[in-house]
Amino acid sequence: MATLEFYLDEDTSMTHVLESGTTTLGRHPDSVIVLDCPSVSGHHALIELQDDGCYVSDQQSSNGTRVNGAIIEEAKLAEGDRVAFGDIQAVFYAGDAPSAEPEEIAVAQPVIFVPPPVLPVKDAPPPPAPADYRKKPARPANVRRASNYPDQTESGCATALIVIFLFITAFIVGLYLRHSKETEGGNFFSDVANKISGTIPKIKVEK
């Protein structure tokens, strides 16, 4: 017993068990294996299962018969050979075709949350108390506040006296120069003394 597994399209396959003797294949309904495909001829190929093996022969089809990609007129098939009848692909098995193994369904394992270990907290010093900015900092008792300006009380008085002296000196020098010009070199001091003595009233003392 041998088997041909046909792949009609991406999602469809067909398995045919070959009996001893000759099996016809083609698009015509009188064929043993009917392949309804435009690329398959009405009487496309013959498959013969003999005691020494399985043989496939092309019946002068329009699109030919290939074994493992090579165009053939007749060829002996071996386990796992790929046979193409036009556009229809098939795989030859000397025995039963292997059954498709069911896909294993992966079952999601529950996720177990493991909390991280709690590390011991080292004793930390207490945070400093917030500073009160409304209080003025205490000033040391032995520190005297330095003034930005020097004490100018005594120097101010001395300056005032100097200014008055210079003013009087300038006034006298001005009078001297004017007197010297008007009197053409007269003695300023003697004239001033005479002027002063003349303005003082004389008092007679009667005996």
Side-chain angles (χ1 to χ4, degrees), residues 1-7 14-19 21 23 33 46-56 66-68 75-85 88-98:
M1 184 180 66
T3 307
L4 273 176
E5 186 172 9
F6 296 88
Y7 296 92
M14 178 184 69
T15 301
H16 183 84
V17 178
L18 300 173
E19 300 293 340
T23 302
I33 302 175
L46 293 178
I47 303 171
E48 294 180 315
L49 185 60
Q50 302 177 6
D51 294 338
D52 62 342
C54 183
Y55 296 85
V56 59
R66 293 177 175 81
V67 176
N68 296 326
K76 184 179 181 179
L77 300 178
E79 178 75 17
D81 281 348
R82 294 182 177 274
V83 187
F85 305 98
I88 300 299
Q89 302 290 326
V91 178
F92 174 77
Y93 298 101
D96 293 336

Side-chain angles (χ1 to χ4, degrees), residues 7 24 26 37 41 67 74 86 96 134 154 167 171 176 182 185:
Y7 296 92
T24 59
C37 179
S41 299
V67 176
E74 184 179 6
D96 293 336
R134 294 175 298 178
E154 297 180 359
F167 178 77
F171 179 74
Y176 176 82
E182 291 181 356

Side-chain angles (χ1 to χ4, degrees), residues 120-154:
V121 180
K122 295 182 179 180
D123 295 336
D132 189 358
Y133 296 98
R134 294 175 298 178
K135 295 181 179 181
K136 294 183 179 180
R139 187 175 58 187
N142 57 349
V143 177
R144 298 180 60 184
R145 179 179 296 179
S147 176
N148 294 331
Y149 301 97
D151 189 4
Q152 298 180 352
T153 304
E154 297 180 359

Side-chain angles (χ1 to χ4, degrees), residues 151-173:
D151 189 4
Q152 298 180 352
T153 304
E154 297 180 359
S155 60
C157 295
T159 302
L161 292 177
I162 293 173
V163 171
I164 294 172
F165 174 75
L166 293 177
F167 178 77
I168 295 174
T169 303
F171 179 74
I172 294 174
V173 171

